[in-house]
Each structure stands twice: as C-alpha cells, then as structure tokens.
C-alpha cells in the first residue's frame, strides 16, 4: 500500500506543473487517467504501465525514431516513474517489447537529453528485475546484455547529465546481481571488458598523437577522463574489479598514471583506491592477493621518476588494506617489503626518495599490529629485529642523500614501537646523536625531532645512557651535550620519576653549589651558565611527572620535602614545580575518567585504571601537607603570579580526604574571621597608604577568600552553612570592594559542582534575601560578579519564588548602562534569563516584592508580564533610568520577538516613536537602537504603518553631529530603504531632509558601480571579508545594534574610501608594473647576474643637475679674499666659483656636497651647519635635531611628464606654498620655499667679515616677528 501511495504522491505533483516543460507530461497523464476511467480500471501501477506501453509504440517508431518528441519524452518519463512499482514478472515478460521500443531513442544521434535520461531509467528498472537465465543470452540477441551495451555507450556520452544517469544505472544494476554462487554480476565481465577496451583504445590514440607532437592540445583528455570515470563506476559496483580482467586493468592504469596531466593521475589513484576499498569486505577480499601480485609484477624501472612514485603509492595503499584483512600475514612480509622499498632511497630522483619514504612510513604505521608491541611472541620479536637492522643500514653513507627522508622513517618507527624500541634502535640513537653533535651537520633540526620522539618512546634514562650529558667534567672524546636539555624538556613523558631524583637532582645540587660559592661577587659568564643549567634541569620535572610509571616508589616524604623547600626558597622555580605536582594528579585522573571496562595499554601508556587509582590514593596521603605548603606560598606571592599556584591547589583539593578537607576549611575560615576583624579596625588612612604601592601584597582577607572559593566545590554539604554565613558577613561591607567582589564569586563557583547545585536549590530563599539586603551596599567594581550571582540564583529559582525577579529587575535594568562592558553583557544575559524563566510560567507573589502593599494580588508569570515590568522604567524620574529601560527593552525584544503577541509589539513601537521626539540625547540615543532593532527584525506589517511617525522624528536628529547621531540616523534610514523601498521612506520625509535620502541613493549606486567594476574578485577573498565582518561582533544582538549592514559604512565619503581600498586590492592582485633602471652610458645587460638589482617595481626617478622649474641652482660664492658670501646678486662680478681642481669657473657649474672637490667640501660644510639635518638651538639653548624627510624638487619623472605633488602646491596667491612652520624660526631652518636647496634659502645677510649671522631664520614663517615674505629674518652685523 505504501508503494501505491508513494506513486500517487509523485503523480499528484505532475498534475500541478510549475514549469512550461512539465505541462505536456500533465496533459498525457490526464489523458491516460481519463481513458482508465472510461474503461473502469483502477489507477494501479499495472494499469498505468499497460497504457504507457500502448502510447510508447505510437510515440516512437522503430524505423523513424521519435514521431513526436514532446509526446515521446512525456511517455518515457511517466514510464520511468511507474516501472519501479510494477511487479518483476511483468517486467521480465515485457522486456523485449520495451527494449525494442526504446532502442531508437537510445541510438539516434539527435535525441535530446531528457528523453535519454528517462530511457536509461526504464532500462535500469528492467535490468534489475531480470533473473540469471536472462543474463545467459548473448549480446547478439534481444536481452539484458544488449541493454547493458547501450548503457556503456551512453556512459561516455559528451553530455554530463546523460553520462551521470548511465553511470548510476550501471552501478545499481551491477550491485543487484541475480541469485547465483558467483561473487560478481553476470554482466560484470562484459562491462569491465568493454570499459577497458575503450580505455586502451583512447590511451593508444593519445600516444600516437603525443608522438606526432599534437598531444599538447589535450583534445583526447576529456574522453580519457570519461573512460576512467566509467572504469571507476564499474569498480565501485563490482566490489573491486573482475578477477580475470585485473592484469590488463593495472597495466593500463599504470601507463596512464605517468601522464603529465595531474587530473588523469588523480583519477587513476581514485580507481585504485575504490578497488582496494571494495576488497576490504570479507566477501571480496579473496581478490586482493591476486591484485597485489599483478601490481608487483608491473614494477617499473629503478630510475623511472614518472612511473615509480605512483606505483609505490599504489603498493602502499594495497598493503594497508591487506593489513586490515590479514594483519599477521602482512606483518610477516614486512621485513621483505622493507628491504625492497628501502633500496629506492638510494635513487638520484628526489620524487622517488620521497615516495619510498612515505611508503615505508605507511608500512610501519599500518602493518605492525598492536599485539606485537604489547605482548610480542618470539616470532614477532625476530621480525622487529630484522626491521630495525634494516633501518640501521639506512644511516650508512650509501643513503646520505636521503638522510632527511630516513629521519622521517625512523621517527615513524619510534612512534610505532614505543617502549619496544630499546634495545632494537639503540644504535640508531647513538648514530643520530653523534651526527647531531657534529658542528658541520646541516640536519640538526630534523635530528632533534627524531631524538625527541626517541625520548618519548623509550624514556630519557635509555637515551642518556647512550648519549650522556657530560656537563660537569667532559672527558676527551666525550663532548658535552647541553643541547639535549631543551629536547628532554619538550619530550619527556610517561617515564620513571626515580631517574630524575637519581640523575638530575644530584646534578642540580652540584651545579647550584657552584652558584652559591660565587656569593655576592659579580656574576661571571660561567656562573650565569650554571644558573641557566639549574633552571633547565628543573624544567624537566613536569615531563617526568606526566603519568610516571613509579609514583608510589619515587614520590616519598623526602622528595615531597625537597619540593616544599624549593617552593619556599626558589621563587624562579615555582612555576615548574607547581606544574609538575599538578600533572601528577591530573594525568592519573585522566586515566580514571576513561569510559568502558576494556583497557588499551597503548593509548593509556602502560597505566591501568587500578594503577592510576593506587597512585591517586598515594598522592592523597600527602595532600594535607602539600596544601599547607601551597597555601603559605600562595599568601607570599603577588597576585599577578598566583595563577599556577591556585591551579595546583585545585588539583590536590580534588583528591584530599574529606576529613582533612574539613580541617583545612575550618582553619582557613578561622583565620579569615580574624583578618576581617583586623581589616575593620584598620583606618582609612592606612588603607590609602597600602593602595599607593603597586607591588604590595594584598590583605590577608583577600588571600584567604580566594582559598575558600577554591575550596568550596570540594566541601561536603555539612559545611555549607558556614560558607553562606561568611558570604552574609562580607557582602554588606562596602568598605572593601575587592573582598566583596570575591564573595560574589562564591555562588557561580558553587554552580560548577553537583553538591553546590543541590545547596543552591535548597538554600535559594536564603540566598534571595541575602542578595536583596546587600543591594544597597554593592560597590561598582563588584557589579559584574553580583549580576553573575543573581543569574545563578535565578537559574535554580523555583516557580513559587518568581517575586525575586521584579525585586531585582530595576538593578539589572540600570546595569544595562554600565560603563564596564563585561557588566553590561552580564546584565543583558541576565535579562534574557529572566525572560525565559518568566516564560516557563508560575505565580508572582506581588505582596513579597519590596515597596509593594501587603494586599497586592498575585500575578501570573508570562513573557508579556515581564515586558510590562521592564516598561515600568519608562516612567522613571531620570533620563538615565529611562534610557536604561529602553536599552533593556531593545535587548529582550530582539530575543523574544517571535514569541510576543503583535499587540505588544505595536504598543512598544508606538511608545518609542513618542520618546524619539524627546529633547534628551541620552534617551534618544537608546531609542535609536530600539528603532534599528524594530526595523530589521519586526514584521513588515507592524513597522510599515508607523513609518509616518518614525521618519520625521528620525530626520529631526539627522542634523545632530554629537555622539554620532547623524551616522546612526543614516544607517537606520538605509535599513528602512532596503526593506520598505525608497518611495515609502521618501513619502514621509520632510522636504528639507530629502537630500539625505538622495545622498544614500547616490552612495548606494556608486558602491554598486564599483562592485560591478571589481567583479573579478576572487571568491575566497569575498568569503574572508564576510567572515571578518561577522567576526567583528560578539553576538547577533551586538551586530544588529552596532553593525551598519550597508556598503557605505562611513558618511558621505565612505563609499569613495572603500572603493579606493578595493581598487588598491585589485591592483595588488593583478600585479603592478615593472621598470628597468638603465644607465645613461650603456644599456642594461639582462644576462648579468646583477641585472636583478636594476629591476624596480616602482617608477624610477632621475636626479637632474640642470635647471628645475625654470630656476637655476646657484653655487656657493667667494669674494676676492676667498671668503664665502651669501645672498646678493647672481651677476656680481666679485663672486668667484671653483671647479674640481680648485680653479675658478662659471657660477652655474660646480659639484655636489661630499664629492671630494673644493666646492663640494664648502657646500658640505654649509649643509652641516645650516642644512636640513643641522643641529639647532631652541628655547633655553637646547639642541634640536630635525627628523623630517627630505623633500626636494630636483627630481624628474621618466614617464608621462608627471610633476611631484609638492611642486604644484601654491599658497593661494600664485606663489609656491611654504612648507616651513609658522612662527619663530620656521621660515628657513625647517625647509626652503618651494623645496629649494637649503643653501639657496640660507640668505639671512652677511657681516663685515663674511661670517654667517646667528639670527638667520628668526621671525620667519607666516606671522613671524619681523620676517619678510620669504621667511628670512634680518641678520645683525
């Protein structure tokens, strides 16, 4: 009955077509049903099938093909739909008739794809219904094999949809064989032979083209890919590949895999992967040995760098499957395989070496069973010995070129053998250690990785026996190996803790004694090295304490005392010691937390649950004394360095017996009560003195309160009354905000344990009263923690105590305007939690709410009631309270908008429209947030009618620039336009403010144009930008409130700036121009190795020695006495210039400063005393140095005749703009007018003896005192 119903549903969908091409099918179906009705037939699948067969002979002619294409397509489509519901005997009896009718549709050239796909679907159903007898008919007769032949032709069709439908049909047919003793389908051999023959023909044809040098066109690669896809489908359906055809397939695929086309190679690998995956099944696993034998026989040449890597990869995957099916047999072959493939590591080809190393790593990872590691037999040990001997040989000189690959193989072997690697790989460790100690060895980093894995596998004791440190007294021929200490620190784990005590503790004592012997004398390099060694040695302790094998033997009273002394005396070692002690507990607890009864010693690293339980019990016996030490150390440590100590305390509290835990709690609470009394008696002046010192230890009461909070989750319920009484004692005290803050943290801490949750539920009424009474004394720093405490109480609030929510609601609402962001977030989260609690239902006893009359009736707890409570703040007496209420309403509206009645939503929006007309900025700022939430999240029919009131009020604030009102209003209007359309918004906009809408429209159009111009952006970059945009906000509410969601993020110039950024990114992606910097004398030789230095990605500039901008550069002049003269006329006959040899020359020629000539030396001297980098004296005679970048106009652009931007600036009066600062001294010293050389600007006057006046430049700049227009002061004689 289900099949009929399913067919009826499918036919019903056809009767109501949504597309034009489906209407013809609906008409045909309607005609068939009308015929069946007239003949009084039921609408059964068989009736539909008979009617469609009658129509099929009319629609498709055996000689002419489809008579009516539309009718044929509709009939075959319906036949494909109905056939699966027809009984199989009927399908078998009508097979010849249907195949004869469909044959023209499958063979004609111009048949459209829809008709072909439906025909393939019909054949699929018919072929699945055939029995074993039908498959014995030859292909020459009308039978299933002829239909399969047609599907194989369509499987390599050039149309993707037709090809995919044929593949799906073949897969389903081959996966549904008729009952027979054979594993394969009767047609599997035929399909495999046809597909393989087609593939071979294409490969041979491509080879001929390649020889004719036409292979580069790759015109046969699509056909070759289609043929490979067909082979892949047949392999998928056949559970591998027919055994008889295995040889020829492997040979053909390996020939294809050496192609330079990576897609063909990947397709070949996928086929082999599918074949191997199909053979992983027990029913088809018998084919695997034959396949591996065939592939092994096809071994390429030793140096074939194209064919050998894929062949190695295929072999590797095959033995991976073999290890899953026959682990013992594959493990026995491992030494032989290792010898075979390790020989490829001596190849000269890097690709072959990489493939060989990856194959060996695969063998090691997949072919060594776990039983050979945990409980090996004698035979297993011999196999491992052979394997390790082969690895040792890989470190010989023969394989020196492949040592980096060999290191990867050794790494994998250590990882696989674990503790069984010793003594099998001791020689490997020794050889690599000697290589690592050689200064000329280049693979130190890779050697360190291998040695680190060896330390993890066999432990540091074995490694140090082979490679001793030799730190104190290195002997001849035994170098020191201090480089081992950092490797040990990173990799020591799961070893014997006793080795650290015997080896490193004594070593550390000896080294530390040398530091102590130095006393207070100045530290030498040797002493500093010893100090470093001490810290490096103790840095090893956390690794030794990570799941050690001998906790009970090694961690005794002596060792515990040693650690306690270190914690007291060596502050720089506290972090390592605390981390080690914490790891002792945590790693054993991890073993105990493993679920299930079966234990796997390999991932558990030889530690069973019983051993871990005994270790925890042993450590618990020391917990009391350890906690006492840690408490003392905690109280002596500054707060910023206490974190790791508190974590260690937490670990040991979790294993402390209950009796000792209660004793510790009693002792700490007693000390806290005393400390509270002392802090109460302390004067305010004393507290102020304590606050003045930054590194002052916090009060004792703070330290003890931290310890009590840490203790709280481990205490039994009997101690909770004392705990809550302490909180009741501290919370009302507003004199110590930090202590009050810590007390509020107690409730969230209790909520993390099951015992604490039970206590919170039992004492909920008591905690409610405590929080209400302490509200008036709550300090500002404790606001966030108080809100967190209220949230914990509300989480476990019974339905009979919902009056607590309105009692604290005003405090939570006002906290929504807190300056502290974390406090605001906590307030918002608490509002949502309150709303959810109210939505659960219950009764609110209003008489128990503070300031409510005793006869107030009870109210029903609903979400609407909660909104009414929050809305009460809108009637507040201060703008701050009203603003906080609006902000709170915005948050809960966004959270519960889908659950509120429409009437409530309408009332809220109408009310906010009134507040939008307020004159108070604080209120309106919150209302803008509410309006934005309403615009983007509320239903259209609620917001659209209120645009008439909202838009004019919003536009009234669009002229306000304070607090970014204009930007916020613009964002809201953009959202309105996007959702309701520009006409709806513009209709209600005042005429004077419509320019804002026009600006938004133009910005949007401009952004759209730029987006269309940059449509060549990479999709990945767009996704990254969207991801970054989403990641800017912590929650959806923050994004709704603060996110613009528009392209024009900024105001008027936002679109332009963003567009320029997009253009710059586009230019970076496309790559900039490249320029060649040539010498004027000779062209650039591009074959020269130094030619790269003349290639520039920026436009080159050329310095000119001639005139610039029509002006000439004057040289330093001298009079007849040889003295320098500045200023004056250029045509003065008394001025002389010198050339490079010291002779006089034209004043327009000359040399540059620093070129070795006389004039160059003079110019350099002038630059030194009055140039850009000259030292100047400011106020008070202080020396001043200029760090401004040099700006000169003596550059010429090589292309396009562009002029530097600075040269084009003017001062608005036609003259060039001065760049020096205004005021005293700014005209000359900071840069000359129009970028001229500093020597030209230096013309402050001359003295009688030709000396430069000291007052040059005073009064320069615009508005300077006594300065002329050129920014040059008058010099004194």
């Amino acid at each position: 009955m289900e099949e009929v119903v399913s067919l009826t549903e499918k036919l019903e969908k056809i009767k109501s077509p949504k597309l034009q091409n489906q209407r013809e099918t609906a008409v045909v179906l309607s005609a068939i049903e009308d015929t069946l009705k007239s003949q009084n037939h039921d609408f059964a699948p068989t009736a539909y099938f008979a009617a469609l067969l009658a129509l099929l002979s009319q629609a498709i002619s055996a000689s002419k093909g489809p008579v009516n294409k539309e009718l044929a397509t509709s009939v075959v489509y319906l036949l494909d739909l109905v056939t699966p519901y027809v009984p199989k005997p009927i399908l078998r009896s009508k097979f010849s008739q249907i195949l004869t009718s469909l044959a023209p549709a499958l063979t004609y050239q111009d048949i459209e794809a829809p008709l072909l796909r439906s025909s393939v679907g019909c054949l699929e159903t018919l072929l699945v219904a055939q029995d074993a007898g039908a498959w014995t008919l030859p292909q020459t007769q009308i039978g299933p094999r002829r239909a399969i032949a047609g599907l194989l032709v369509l499987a390599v069709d050039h149309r993707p949809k037709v090809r995919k439908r044929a593949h799906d049909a073949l897969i389903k047919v081959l996966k549904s064989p008729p009952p027979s003793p054979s594993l394969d389908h009767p047609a599997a051999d035929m399909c495999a032979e046809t597909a393989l023959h087609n593939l071979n023909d294409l490969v041979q044809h491509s080879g001929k083209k390649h020889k004719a040098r036409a292979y580069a066109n790759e015109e046969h690669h699509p056909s070759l890919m289609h043929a490979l896809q067909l082979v892949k489908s047949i392999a998928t359906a056949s559970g591998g590949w027919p055994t008889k055809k295995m040889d020829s397939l492997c040979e053909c695929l390996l020939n294809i895999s050496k192609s330079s086309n990576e897609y063909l190679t990947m397709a070949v690998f996928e086929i082999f992967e599918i074949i191997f995956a199909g053979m992983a099944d027990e029913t088809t696993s018998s084919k695997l040995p034959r396949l591996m034998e065939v592939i092994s026989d096809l071994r390429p040449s030793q140096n074939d760098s194209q064919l050998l890597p894929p062949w190695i990869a295929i072999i590797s995957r095959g033995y991976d499957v073999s290890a899953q099916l026959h682990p013992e047999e594959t493990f026995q072959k491992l030494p032989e395989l290792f010898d075979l493939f390790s020989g490829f590591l001596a190849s000269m080809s890097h690709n072959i070496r990489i493939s060989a190393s990856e194959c060996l790593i695969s063998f090691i990872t997949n072919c060594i069973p776990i039983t050979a590691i945990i409980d090996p037999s004698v035979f297993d040990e011999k196999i491992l010995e052979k394997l390790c001997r082969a690895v040792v040989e890989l470190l010989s000189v023969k394989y020196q070129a492949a040592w980096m690959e060999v290191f990867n193989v050794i790494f994998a072997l250590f990882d696989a053998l674990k503790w069984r690697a010793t003594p099998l790989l001791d020689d490997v460790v020794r050889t690599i250690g000697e290589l690592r100690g050689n200064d000329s060895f280049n693979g130190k980093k890779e050697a360190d990785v291998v040695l680190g894995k060896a330390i993890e596998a066999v432990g540091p004791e074995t490694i140090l026996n082979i490679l001793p440190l030799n730190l104190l007294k290195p002997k001849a021929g035994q170098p020191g190996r201090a480089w081992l200490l950092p490797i040990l620190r990173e990799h020591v784990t799961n070893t014997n803790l006793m080795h650290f005590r015997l080896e490193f503790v004594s070593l550390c004592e000896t080294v530390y004694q040398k530091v102590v012997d130095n006393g207070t004398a100045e530290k030498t390099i040797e002493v500093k090295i010893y100090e470093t060694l001490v810290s490096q040695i103790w840095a090893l302790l956390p690794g030794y304490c990570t799941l050690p094998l001998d906790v009970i033997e090694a961690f005794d009273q002596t060792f515990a005392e040693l650690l306690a002394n270190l914690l007291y005396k060596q502050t720089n070692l506290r972090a390592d010691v605390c981390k080690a002690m914490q790891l002792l507990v945590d790693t054993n607890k991890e073993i105990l937390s493993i679920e299930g009864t079966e234990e796997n010693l390999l991932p558990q690293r030889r530690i069973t649950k019983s051993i871990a339980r005994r270790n925890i019990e042993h450590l618990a016996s020391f917990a009391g004394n350890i906690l006492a030490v840690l408490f003392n150390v905690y109280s002596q440590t500054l707060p910023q360095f206490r974190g790791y100590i508190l974590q260690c305390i937490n670990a040991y509290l979790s294993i402390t017996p209950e009796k000792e835990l209660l004793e510790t709690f009693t002792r700490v609470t007693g000390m806290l009560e005393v400390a509270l009394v002392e802090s109460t008696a302390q004067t305010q002046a004393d507290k102020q003195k304590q606050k003045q010192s930054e590194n002052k230890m916090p009060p004792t009461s703070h330290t003890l309160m931290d310890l009590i909070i840490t203790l709280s989750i481990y205490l039994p319920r009997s101690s909770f009354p004392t705990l809550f009484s302490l909180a009741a004692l501290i919370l009302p005290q507003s004199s110590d905000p930090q202590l009050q803050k810590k007390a509020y943290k107690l409730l969230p801490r209790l909520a993390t344990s099951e015992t604490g949750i039970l206590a919170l539920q039992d004492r909920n009424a008591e905690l409610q009263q405590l929080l209400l009474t302490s509200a008036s004394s709550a300090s500002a720093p404790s606001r966030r923690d108080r809100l967190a405490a209220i949230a914990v109480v509300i989480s476990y609030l019974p339905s009979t105590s919902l009056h607590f929510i309105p009692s604290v609601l005003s405090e939570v609402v006002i906290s929504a305007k807190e300056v502290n962001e974390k406090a605001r977030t906590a307030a918002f989260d608490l509002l949502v939690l309150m709303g959810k609690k109210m939505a659960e239902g219950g009764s609110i006893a209003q008489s128990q709410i503070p300031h409510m009359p005793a006869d107030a009736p009870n109210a029903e707890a609903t979400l609407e009631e909660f909104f009414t409570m929050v809305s009460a703040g809108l009637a507040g007496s201060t703008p701050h309270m009203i603003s906080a209420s609006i902000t709170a309403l915005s948050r809960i509206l966004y959270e519960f908008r889908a659950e509120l009645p429409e009437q409530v939503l309408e009332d809220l929006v109408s009310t906010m429209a009134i507040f939008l007309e307020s004159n108070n900025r604080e209120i309106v700022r919150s209302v803008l947030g509410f309006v934005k939430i309403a615009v983007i999240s509320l239903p259209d029919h609620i917001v659209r009618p209120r645009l008439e009131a909202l838009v004019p009020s919003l536009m009234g604030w669009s002229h306000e620039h304070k607090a970014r009102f204009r930007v916020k209003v613009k964002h809201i209007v953009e959202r309105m336009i996007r959702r309701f359309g520009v006409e709806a918004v513009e209709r209600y906009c005042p005429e004077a403010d419509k320019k804002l809408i026009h600006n938004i429209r133009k910005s949007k159009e401009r952004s759209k144009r730029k987006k269309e111009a940059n449509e060549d952006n990479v999709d990945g970059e767009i996704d990254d930008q969207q991801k970054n945009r989403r990641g800017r906000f912590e929650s959806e509410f923050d994004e709704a409130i603060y996110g613009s969601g528009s392209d024009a993020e900024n105001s008027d110039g936002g679109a332009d700036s963003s567009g320029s950024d997009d253009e710059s990114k586009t230019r970076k992606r496309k790559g900039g121009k490249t320029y060649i910097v040539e010498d004027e004398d000779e062209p650039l030789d591009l074959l020269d190795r130094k030619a790269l230095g003349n290639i520039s990605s920026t436009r080159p500039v050329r310095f000119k020695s001639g005139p610039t901008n029509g002006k000439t550069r004057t040289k330093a002049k001298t009079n007849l006495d040889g003295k320098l003269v500045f200023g004056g006329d250029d045509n003065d006959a008394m001025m002389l210039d010198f050339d490079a040899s010291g002779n006089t020359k034209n004043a327009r020629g000359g040399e540059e400063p620093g070129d070795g000539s006389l004039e160059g030396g003079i110019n350099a001297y002038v630059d030194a005393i009055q140039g850009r980098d000259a030292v100047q004296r400011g106020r008070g005679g202080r020396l001043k140095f200029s760090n401004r970048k040099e700006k000169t106009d003596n550059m010429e652009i090589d292309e396009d005749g562009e002029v530097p931007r600075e040269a084009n600036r003017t001062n608005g009066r036609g003259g060039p703009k001065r760049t020096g600062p205004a005021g005293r001294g700014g005209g000359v010293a900071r840069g000359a007018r129009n970028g001229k050389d500093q020597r030209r600007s230096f013309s402050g006057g001359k003295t009688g003896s030709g000396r430069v006046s000291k007052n040059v430049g005073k009064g320069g700049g615009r508005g300077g005192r006594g300065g002329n227009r050129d920014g040059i002061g008058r010099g004194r004689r």
Side-chain angles (χ1 to χ4, degrees), residues 56 60-62 94-105 142:
L56 183 62
I60 301 177
S61 171
K94 295 292 183 181
F95 178 79
S96 300
Q97 178 186 350
I98 298 175
L99 183 59
T100 305
S101 301
L102 290 178
I142 298 177

Side-chain angles (χ1 to χ4, degrees), residues 236-289:
T236 302
S238 302
W241 191 258
T243 310
K244 298 177 183 179
K245 309 295 180 184
M246 197 73 73
D247 302 14
S248 52
L249 174 68
C250 293
E251 184 177 1
C252 182
L253 291 179
L254 285 173
N255 287 330
I256 297 173
S257 66
K258 66 181 181 181
S259 168
S260 59
N261 190 322
E262 60 181 2
Y263 296 105
L264 292 177
T265 307
M266 290 174 60
V268 169
F269 285 160
E270 287 177 1
I271 292 172
F272 274 112
E273 180 70 26
I274 288 171
I275 293 174
F276 286 130
M279 293 180 180
D281 189 6
E282 293 182 358
T283 57
T284 57
S285 61
S286 58
K287 301 178 183 180
L288 184 60

Side-chain angles (χ1 to χ4, degrees), residues 103-109 111 116 120 123 127 139 144-167 169-170 190-198 202 222-223 226-227 229-231 234:
L106 297 171
T107 55
Y108 272 70
Q109 295 292 331
I111 299 300
L116 275 178
V120 169
L123 287 183
L127 291 172
Q139 189 174 343
R145 289 183 179 272
R146 179 174 288 189
I148 287 288
L151 291 179
L152 289 171
V153 174
L154 293 175
V156 290
D157 192 88
H158 65 280
R159 289 165 287 191
K161 292 184 177 180
V162 174
R163 200 167 57 245
K164 184 179 184 305
R165 188 67 185 89
H167 283 209
L170 284 171
M190 172 192 169
C191 293
E193 184 177 356
T194 305
L196 194 54
H197 179 73
N198 186 23
L202 289 170
S223 301
H226 299 163
Q229 290 295 328
L230 177 57
V231 172
I234 295 173

Side-chain angles (χ1 to χ4, degrees), residues 793-1012:
V793 173
I794 289 179
S795 298
Y796 304 104
L797 196 68
S799 58
T800 57
S801 301
L802 292 178
H803 61 274
F804 177 70
I805 292 178
S807 301
V808 296
L809 184 59
S810 59
E811 180 184 358
V812 179
V813 168
I814 205 70
S815 298
K817 295 283 289 183
E818 277 286 331
V819 177
N820 188 303
E821 182 183 358
K822 293 182 179 179
R824 289 198 308 273
T825 304
F828 287 146
D829 294 341
L830 183 51
L831 283 168
V832 173
L833 179 63
M834 287 177 168
K836 292 179 179 178
K837 180 63 72 171
M838 291 283 287
E840 292 175 1
S843 178
I844 304 174
Q846 297 191 77
S847 59
Q848 299 185 26
I849 302 175
H851 311 296
M852 288 290 286
D855 56 349
N858 293 344
E860 186 180 354
T862 59
L863 199 56
E864 294 85 344
E865 181 67 21
F866 180 62
F867 271 81
T868 304
M869 294 177 184
V870 179
S871 302
L874 298 177
S877 58
T878 62
H880 187 72
M881 184 63 196
I882 298 173
S883 173
S885 301
I886 295 172
T887 304
L889 281 171
S890 304
R891 179 65 185 95
I892 59 177
L893 172 68
Y894 185 81
E895 186 72 26
F896 302 107
R897 61 187 183 277
E899 304 170 26
L900 287 173
E902 290 189 359
Q903 184 61 43
V904 176
L905 297 177
E906 292 173 357
D907 293 344
L908 283 173
V909 176
S910 302
T911 305
M912 293 306 154
I914 298 173
F915 278 105
L916 193 57
E917 299 176 357
S918 171
N919 294 326
N920 188 281
R921 288 193 184 93
E922 185 178 11
I923 295 176
V924 174
R925 189 176 181 182
S926 298
V927 176
L928 290 178
F930 183 93
V931 172
K932 189 173 183 181
I933 293 293
V935 167
I936 66 176
S937 62
L938 294 187
D940 183 279
H941 63 276
I942 292 179
V943 183
R944 187 181 292 271
R946 285 157 183 80
L947 290 179
E948 185 176 2
L950 291 175
V951 173
S953 301
L954 282 173
M955 291 302 179
W957 287 98
S958 65
H959 308 288
E960 180 65 53
H961 290 275
K962 289 185 179 180
R964 295 174 57 86
F965 272 88
R966 176 179 173 82
V967 176
K968 293 177 180 178
V969 169
K970 183 179 179 182
H971 288 166
I972 295 173
V973 174
E974 284 178 355
R975 291 281 190 166
M976 286 181 172
I977 291 174
R978 188 183 307 176
R979 187 173 184 191
F980 307 112
V982 66
E983 294 81 6
V985 178
E986 195 172 12
R987 184 185 307 127
Y988 303 114
C989 181
E991 193 66 31
D993 296 315
K994 286 188 178 180
K995 60 181 180 180
L996 177 62
I997 297 179
H998 298 327
N999 175 267
I1000 293 172
R1001 180 188 295 173
K1002 286 198 286 186
S1003 299
K1004 190 174 180 180
E1005 292 174 354
R1006 184 164 56 244
S1007 176
K1008 184 178 180 181
R1009 287 196 302 270
K1010 290 183 178 179
K1011 185 177 179 181
E1012 291 175 354

Side-chain angles (χ1 to χ4, degrees), residues 673-693:
E673 290 174 356
V674 174
L676 287 175
V677 173
E678 292 177 356
S679 63
T680 305
Q682 193 177 25
T683 62
Q684 191 65 28
D686 294 337
K687 292 181 181 180
Q688 194 66 27
K689 290 179 182 178
Q690 287 185 356
K691 291 181 181 178
Q692 291 175 357
S693 58

Side-chain angles (χ1 to χ4, degrees), residues 534-603:
V534 171
S535 61
Q536 284 185 331
I537 289 171
W538 282 104
L540 303 178
L541 184 59
Y544 275 94
C545 291
T546 303
L547 210 62
L549 302 173
D550 56 348
V551 173
I552 298 175
E553 295 80 10
F555 197 89
D556 54 11
Q557 186 67 28
T558 306
F559 190 60
E561 291 175 358
L562 173 64
L563 297 181
N565 290 330
L566 283 173
L567 289 173
Y568 280 125
K569 298 177 181 179
Q570 300 293 329
T571 55
N572 58 324
L573 301 179
R574 282 179 181 173
D576 291 325
V577 174
C578 287
K579 184 178 179 181
M581 296 171 66
Q582 178 186 348
L583 285 171
L584 275 175
V585 177
D586 290 346
T587 52
N588 282 283
K589 287 172 65 177
E590 287 177 7
I591 299 295
L592 291 175
S593 64
I594 296 176
E595 298 180 356
T597 56
E598 295 184 3
E599 297 194 29
N600 191 344
L601 293 182
L602 205 59

Side-chain angles (χ1 to χ4, degrees), residues 1158-1201:
L1158 176 60
E1159 186 183 2
I1162 294 172
N1163 292 338
Y1165 172 73
V1166 174
D1167 275 343
I1169 57 175
Q1170 287 296 335
R1172 182 181 63 87
D1173 298 323
V1175 180
Q1176 302 174 13
R1177 291 191 180 273
R1179 293 184 179 179
R1182 295 180 179 178
L1183 294 178
K1184 296 193 299 182
F1185 300 89
S1186 173
N1187 59 356
R1188 288 194 177 188
K1189 294 183 179 179
E1190 186 175 6
K1191 294 182 180 179
T1192 60
D1193 63 345
N1194 57 348
M1195 293 183 291
E1196 181 182 16
I1197 303 301
D1198 285 347
E1199 295 187 8
D1200 302 330

